[in-house]
Amino acid sequence: MHASLETAKPKPARDFAAIGAAIEEELAAITAGKRRRKIIATLVKNGLGMVLGDAIARKLRGNEGDKQYLHHIGRRLRLAFEELGPTFIKLGQVLVTRQDLLPEPITLELEKLLDRVPPIEFAKIEYILERELPDGLETFEWIEEEPLGSASLAQVYKAKLKDGPVVAVKVVRPTVEKLFRTDIAIIKKMAARLQKRLPPELQAALDLGGLVQDYYSSAMDELDMTEEARKMQEMKQKYERRAEHVTVPHVYEATKNVLIMEYIDGWLIKDFPVDVLTFEDRVNIMIDLVHHYVQTMLDGHYHADAHGSNIMIDKRTKKAVIIDWGMTGRMDSIMAQILMRVILHIQLNQAEDAAEVFMELMSPTIYTDVVKLKDELRTLTLNYVSAHQGSSRYNYGRLVLEATAIGLRNYCKVPNGLALWAKGFSATEGTARWICPEISYGEVVEAYEIPILKSILGKRFNFRANASFVAETAEMIATFPRRFNKVLETLSENKWRMTVQVQTDPVTRNTLNQIANRLALSLIAFAIIMATGFIIASIPGGTFLGMGKTTIANIGLAASVILVVFLGWRLFRTRKQRPRF
């Protein structure tokens, strides 16, 4: 139903001051204390506690346990996240990508997270539009009151610009940003506690705080419509001419909470009638979509959510249109080149080289067996050689997730962004297969090898790289005589010194602390026994502090027994809790 301009204008019955006051009241009700109590109560009600940390530890040990139990945990986690609202729904969607961290039964349940929620009242949407847009509601000739879509973060409406085209208007919910900031502060503290409960080996390899920070940064970008508009305009300008059959909606206007963009009259990829496009059209769209994703990734961008619900087929142009640019990110172009080099080596059945290239992404810790790590990566890449269309082994997103899991299982630090990149690659693959299942997605990626090589070589040997190399070389040559002279002077004056700092690893440090604590308890128990004996010997017939020697002896013996029992319990508990890896 269209709301006319007169309907959209503030009427006497529409008190925007009261609406603004109601929104401010909702914002004031979002406090750290209330949210903390709500989060803890919801997690306890669903019986979660610290099971997530246990699930992570089980996954990385390769001993996930009972799948039915994990499905049960995943379901309870999903229900808790849905009850806790937008922050946790988005967190669940990110955790779905971390199949390297969480057991599959849990991620399968989290995939069911509902991001479609009842829309807020239209009056609040009008208030935001009136406040944010320069011309307020006068911007539109009409706007429909029923949203095209209603998610946890924003709602999308169909409207018509005054003397302009029909547009889609995306409006961020008024309280969601404060809710995110409040919840994230609590989640960071919970992640820090969970990090401390992990075994030392996993603490060295896994940075839960960094994972939460990456999620927070991505979520804040998703809540800023000016940032989403900037990404869309950048993609349209840089890549539209390269990908003739894939495009991005035109952006008309954007503020912090409102995005006005081109309205696409078409079908979602998963819903379009097959007979609308010819085989040639479908092939062209698939190839351009795959090449668009690979090229943007090589340039340092990735779209982590390019699935069938975010891509439409325009009825008029028959092009694929990527409509949602919220969940996107940037990656080091060197990292992207590494992943492309892995694919090229797999194509040539060079598993040894592919494993070595993969290891460039991983930072070994003191607990890493590098030989074992390389052997597992080699075995993994061999499984992807000559994989056929439709096979789970013909999914390069899955390949990266499995390699990431191997790295974490061997206690390596792995970049957090890899999981979102892998999700994007898998989503693009699923979309491409939906459009044109007759063509092999993997072969389309591999056939793009010439542009891949051009991109790699172009970044290695362009003007800036050469200029940097020349400048650094000139600096080294110019300063070499002076630096070498200082070395000779130091040697001749016998001033050569070397500072060595020994940093013990967490396991050794923890073991030494336990030994020191047990020695201290033993000495205290011994001291109590000796003190008791001396006191008894010094008062053969008298009293000490009103107590006879029998009472003193019983107290000293009881204290000693308690300390010895406590010491034995600590020894038993340490042996029982020792991680088995």
Side-chain angles (χ1 to χ4, degrees):
M1 179 178 66
H2 295 169
S4 66
L5 180 60
E6 288 71 25
T7 305
K9 288 180 180 179
K11 298 182 296 186
R14 186 78 79 199
D15 187 352
F16 280 109
I19 295 172
I23 292 175
E24 290 299 324
E25 187 177 341
E26 290 179 23
L27 290 169
I30 301 173
T31 64
K34 289 181 180 179
R35 287 301 294 172
R36 187 182 298 108
R37 289 192 292 273
K38 171 70 173 176
I39 291 168
I40 293 173
T42 303
L43 294 178
V44 171
K45 180 180 72 173
N46 286 278
L48 293 172
M50 299 305 295
V51 296
L52 191 59
D54 180 60
I56 292 173
R58 286 172 177 267
K59 172 70 176 180
L60 298 184
R61 292 173 191 165
N63 178 27
E64 296 184 8
D66 181 24
K67 287 191 175 182
Q68 186 175 357
Y69 167 73
L70 291 174
H71 269 299
H72 177 69
I73 293 299
R75 180 176 176 275
R76 287 186 172 275
L77 196 63
R78 172 175 61 82
L79 294 174
F81 281 5
E82 287 178 351
E83 182 177 344
L84 290 171
T87 312
F88 287 83
I89 289 174
K90 287 297 176 184
L91 177 60
Q93 291 174 350
V94 172
L95 290 177
V96 167
T97 69
R98 299 313 302 261
Q99 295 169 16
D100 53 327
L101 288 181
L102 294 175
E104 186 178 19
I106 291 181
T107 58
L108 287 175
E109 277 293 328
L110 291 179
E111 284 180 355
K112 302 175 185 177
L113 271 171
L114 297 176
D115 198 21
R116 292 180 295 277
V117 298
I120 61 175
E121 54 267 37
F122 188 66
K124 292 181 179 178
I125 297 297
E126 288 184 310
Y127 172 80
I128 296 171
L129 294 173
E130 181 69 24
R131 186 185 64 176
E132 293 256 342
L133 297 176
D135 295 329
L137 291 169
E138 293 286 344
T139 304
F140 308 104
E141 185 174 318
W142 52 259
I143 182 169
E144 291 186 349
E145 295 189 13
E146 289 296 322
L148 296 172
S150 177
S152 57
L153 301 187
Q155 296 174 192
V156 181
Y157 293 85
K158 185 178 180 180
K160 185 180 185 304
L161 295 177
K162 184 175 287 187
D163 301 325
V166 175
V167 294
V169 184
K170 186 174 183 179
V171 184
V172 177
R173 290 172 176 257
T175 59
V176 73
E177 183 173 355
K178 184 176 182 183
L179 188 64
F180 254 90
R181 294 185 184 278
T182 305
D183 285 352
I184 288 296
I186 299 169
I187 291 172
K188 283 182 178 179
K189 293 180 180 179
M190 294 172 65
R193 295 192 187 100
L194 182 59
Q195 180 86 21
K196 292 178 181 179
R197 294 181 67 90
L198 293 174
E201 295 89 341
L202 298 186
Q203 289 184 34
L206 190 59
D207 181 12
L208 293 179
L211 178 64
V212 173
Q213 183 59 44
D214 286 350
Y215 158 65
Y216 173 68
S217 300
S218 174
M220 288 299 101
D221 283 348
E222 200 168 349
L223 287 171
D224 187 348
M225 294 297 99
T226 58
E227 179 64 20
E228 184 168 345
R230 186 194 63 78
K231 294 174 186 175
M232 293 171 68
Q233 290 169 333
E234 182 181 354
M235 291 298 109
K236 194 173 184 68
Q237 292 170 2
K238 289 182 68 173
Y239 301 106
E240 192 168 44
R241 281 178 289 182
R242 299 185 190 180
E244 182 181 348
H245 300 87
V246 176
T247 187
V248 179
H250 175 73
V251 174
Y252 292 97
E253 191 167 354
T255 66
K256 178 71 169 59
N257 296 302
V258 179
L259 173 62
I260 302 175
M261 57 185 166
E262 177 186 0
Y263 173 76
I264 304 301
D265 183 17
W267 307 276
L268 293 176
I269 283 284
K270 60 182 182 179
D271 299 327
F272 81 96
V274 178
D275 57 352
V276 169
L277 300 176
T278 65
F279 173 73
E280 183 180 0
D281 288 336
R282 292 189 291 113
V283 171
N284 287 334
I285 290 174
M286 175 190 179
I287 292 174
D288 274 0
L289 186 64
V290 174
H291 290 178
H292 176 271
Y293 187 79
V294 172
Q295 188 58 55
T296 54
M297 185 190 69
L298 287 169
D299 290 342
H301 305 270
Y302 63 86
H303 195 305
D305 212 18
H307 54 72
S309 296
N310 283 337
I311 302 177
M312 297 184 71
I313 300 294
D314 192 322
K315 291 180 179 179
R316 183 176 56 86
T317 64
K318 305 294 178 61
K319 290 184 178 182
V321 186
I322 306 175
I323 58 175
D324 190 337
W325 288 83
M327 191 178 287
T328 61
R330 298 192 68 90
M331 68 187 304
D332 188 342
S333 59
I334 299 298
M335 187 188 302
Q337 292 171 16
I338 289 172
L339 296 172
M340 290 298 104
R341 285 162 55 200
V342 168
I343 292 174
L344 295 176
H345 283 307
I346 289 175
Q347 185 183 5
L348 296 172
N349 193 14
Q350 297 172 342
E352 179 77 15
D353 292 334
E356 288 187 358
V357 173
F358 250 140
M359 290 179 67
E360 295 179 26
L361 289 174
M362 303 173 186
S363 302
T365 65
I366 57 174
Y367 307 104
T368 302
D369 183 341
V370 178
V371 175
K372 179 173 175 287
L373 170 65
K374 184 176 179 181
D375 185 59
E376 290 186 19
L377 289 172
R378 185 193 303 111
T379 302
L380 171 68
T381 53
L382 274 174
N383 290 332
Y384 281 81
V385 173
S386 302
H388 59 84
Q389 170 79 330
S391 166
S392 63
R393 297 295 185 183
Y394 213 52
N395 182 323
Y396 291 123
R398 183 183 179 90
L399 166 67
V400 173
L401 283 176
E402 291 186 0
T404 303
I406 288 173
L408 290 174
R409 199 160 56 239
N410 285 277
Y411 315 123
C412 292
K413 285 187 174 295
V414 181
N416 288 325
L418 274 183
L420 277 177
W421 177 89
K423 178 179 184 289
F425 216 117
S426 296
T428 309
E429 179 182 26
T431 303
R433 285 185 180 178
W434 195 281
I435 296 172
C436 191
E438 301 93 334
I439 303 298
S440 168
Y441 173 86
E443 290 179 2
V444 173
V445 174
E446 293 159 1
Y448 198 61
E449 57 189 11
I450 299 301
I452 290 172
L453 287 174
K454 285 176 64 178
S455 177
I456 293 174
L457 295 176
K459 285 183 172 58
R460 286 291 185 183
F461 301 104
N462 62 16
F463 170 76
R464 289 188 179 87
N466 293 336
S468 175
F469 174 75
V470 170
E472 294 293 336
T473 304
E475 174 72 13
M476 182 183 70
I477 294 172
T479 59
F480 178 76
R482 173 167 49 83
R483 295 177 186 275
F484 186 66
N485 189 46
K486 285 186 176 181
V487 172
L488 292 178
E489 288 179 358
T490 301
L491 289 174
S492 65
E493 296 174 6
N494 198 25
K495 293 181 180 179
W496 185 268
R497 291 178 299 177
M498 182 179 294
T499 302
V500 178
Q501 183 176 5
V502 179
Q503 178 68 37
T504 58
D505 61 89
V507 171
T508 304
R509 190 161 55 248
N510 186 47
T511 302
L512 291 174
N513 286 335
Q514 290 180 2
I515 291 172
N517 290 337
R518 290 163 189 165
L519 284 174
L521 285 173
S522 301
L523 289 173
I524 291 172
F526 176 75
I528 291 175
I529 294 172
M530 294 298 296
T532 302
F534 282 126
I535 292 173
I536 292 173
S538 63
I539 50 170
T543 62
F544 181 76
L545 296 178
M547 295 181 292
K549 65 170 63 178
T550 303
T551 304
I552 295 173
N554 288 335
I555 292 174
L557 180 62
S560 302
V561 169
I562 290 171
L563 287 174
V564 170
V565 170
F566 177 74
L567 183 61
W569 175 77
R570 288 288 297 171
L571 287 169
F572 173 77
R573 186 169 178 267
T574 302
R575 289 176 58 85
K576 184 178 180 181
Q577 291 188 343
R578 185 175 298 161
R580 298 179 177 88
F581 292 100

